[in-house]
Amino acid sequence: SSGINAEWPLRPGKLGVQVVVTDPEKLDAIRQREADITKEKIQLILNAGANVVLTTGGIDDMCLKYFVDAGAMAVRRCKKEDLKRIARATGGALVSSLSNLEGEESFEPAFLGQAESVCQERICDDELILIRGTKTKPSASIILRGANDIYVDEMDRSVHDSLCAVKRVIESKSVVPGGGCVEAALSIYLENFATSLGSREQLAVAEFAQALLVIPKTLVVNAAKDSTELVAKLRAFHNASQTIEAKRHFKWIGLDLENGKCRDNKEAGVLEPEMSKVKSLKFATEAAITILRIDDMIKIYQPSKEDPNSYQNAVKQGRL
């Protein structure tokens, strides 16, 4: 199938001129000419080889008849975002007007995209237009079905989060083990590094190392497990991996929140994109630095209005 993504309505439009008719018999000729202008536009598209037309505007019933007679499919009131995706996938182009640089109307076959099939199918209570076998880029649509709208919305958010995670992995081209593994390893390393400092910087590095444990502790609490015990075991594994050469493989150890224990998250496939991990640490550090730069805070209190009938005012005025 070949198709066109049009951004203009296929219906007889206003020409922007006023026509003074002296002979009432000429009205039919004017209406016929308006219809012929639209028919000529449609014929330009069909002659280029298009058999599927998608447009953001409406399509007049008379125009639909021309497409039906030619054996073509015309779909009206499509979303512009959908047309952009279809154009990228099929190799077509969004056409806003048929006018060329010479001021004449023309339509080039190069504007058409290609797909193996375009059909209409009924899924649940909706009629969907399915485009299969796009030429330029492979693409896919995910159709979510659920018992109610709330359930489907929650599924939509979950799928969106999953796709964003995959996108981050592709952008960063590297992953790190998840389940609090990175935070625990950094915390142990910074605590050991802090002991090598002989100035007040030791306190800052030690506090930074302690703050990193908030992530694994929060993960354990959300899973309704004992955070004190699990985080202590996790720190013991990473301390052994950084101090004992024979236990270097413990550096992949993270939290298994389903079973309430520690495991090798690299083997389990629990991974996170490196880009997200680095950015979250940078943003949190910058936020903390911004707060620490505040030396003084000035508060403006609203002047309190004294009650004339209070005990102190009554004593001053001699009423008591």
Side-chain angles (χ1 to χ4, degrees):
S1 299
S2 301
I4 169 182
N5 302 311
E7 292 188 67
W8 35 270
L10 294 173
R11 59 159 66 97
K14 297 180 180 179
L15 299 178
V17 296
Q18 294 182 353
V19 180
V20 179
V21 180
T22 57
D23 187 359
E25 296 180 357
K26 298 291 181 66
L27 286 174
D28 290 338
I30 295 175
R31 295 193 187 99
Q32 185 61 38
R33 182 53 191 157
E34 286 182 349
D36 290 342
I37 292 174
T38 306
K39 185 177 180 181
E40 290 171 1
K41 292 181 178 180
I42 295 174
Q43 201 61 42
L44 283 175
I45 299 172
L46 296 176
N47 291 340
N51 54 13
V52 177
V53 178
L54 309 174
T55 176
T56 56
I59 301 178
D60 194 75
D61 292 340
M62 179 186 65
C63 300
L64 283 176
K65 179 179 179 299
Y66 298 145
F67 286 110
V68 173
D69 293 341
M73 177 189 292
V75 183
R76 57 189 172 187
R77 297 185 181 91
C78 301
K79 293 182 180 180
K80 191 172 183 180
E81 293 79 8
D82 294 340
L83 292 186
K84 289 181 179 179
R85 295 190 185 99
I86 295 171
R88 287 196 297 266
T90 60
L94 287 172
V95 181
S96 58
S97 174
L98 293 180
S99 300
N100 54 25
L101 297 177
E102 285 76 20
E104 300 177 354
E105 291 189 342
S106 63
F107 187 82
E108 300 294 334
F111 295 154
L112 298 176
Q114 292 185 1
E116 292 180 2
S117 66
V118 180
C119 60
Q120 180 177 351
E121 292 187 9
R122 185 177 183 84
I123 299 177
C124 294
D125 297 331
D126 298 324
E127 296 285 348
L128 303 180
I129 303 295
L130 302 182
I131 302 175
R132 296 187 174 94
T134 54
K135 176 187 176 182
T136 307
K137 295 181 179 180
S139 58
S141 299
I142 301 175
I143 301 176
L144 303 177
R145 302 174 67 177
N148 49 53
D149 293 339
I150 298 175
Y151 191 73
V152 173
D153 290 341
E154 188 63 29
M155 292 169 59
D156 183 27
R157 285 189 289 270
S158 299
V159 172
H160 180 268
D161 293 342
S162 303
L163 293 177
C164 288
V166 174
K167 176 186 175 185
R168 287 297 184 189
V169 171
I170 296 174
E171 290 176 350
S172 61
K173 298 181 181 179
S174 58
V175 293
V176 294
C181 175
V182 174
E183 289 81 7
L186 279 175
S187 177
I188 295 296
Y189 178 82
L190 291 177
E191 281 186 356
N192 296 330
F193 175 71
T195 58
S196 65
L197 300 175
S199 63
R200 65 180 62 188
E201 294 179 358
Q202 181 184 118
L203 296 176
V205 176
E207 288 297 326
F208 192 96
Q210 192 65 27
L212 288 171
L213 296 178
V214 172
I215 298 298
K217 286 180 179 178
T218 304
L219 291 174
V220 177
V221 171
N222 289 342
K225 305 293 182 181
D226 187 355
S227 62
T228 304
E229 182 179 356
L230 273 180
V231 174
K233 289 181 180 179
L234 183 64
R235 283 168 51 83
F237 277 116
H238 284 281
N239 182 65
S241 70
Q242 296 180 23
T243 55
I244 303 174
E245 188 66 27
K247 296 183 178 181
R248 295 280 293 175
H249 60 281
F250 284 173
K251 64 182 179 180
W252 309 113
I253 297 295
L255 295 172
D256 180 6
L257 299 177
E258 292 183 356
N259 301 315
K261 61 181 182 179
C262 299
R263 67 177 177 186
D264 189 334
N265 276 345
K266 180 184 176 184
E267 292 291 334
V270 180
L271 304 170
E272 297 182 50
E274 181 197 11
M275 178 186 293
S276 300
K277 188 67 67 177
V278 173
K279 283 188 176 181
S280 62
L281 290 174
K282 284 184 178 179
F283 292 158
T285 305
E286 290 174 1
I289 292 173
T290 303
I291 295 174
L292 292 174
R293 283 175 178 168
I294 301 174
D295 295 328
D296 297 313
M297 184 167 56
I298 301 174
K299 291 185 178 180
I300 301 177
Y301 292 97
Q302 294 291 337
S304 59
K305 296 181 180 179
E306 295 185 358
D307 186 4
N309 297 321
S310 64
Y311 177 79
Q312 289 82 2
N313 290 333
V315 171
K316 291 179 181 178
Q317 296 173 5
R319 289 185 290 170
L320 292 178

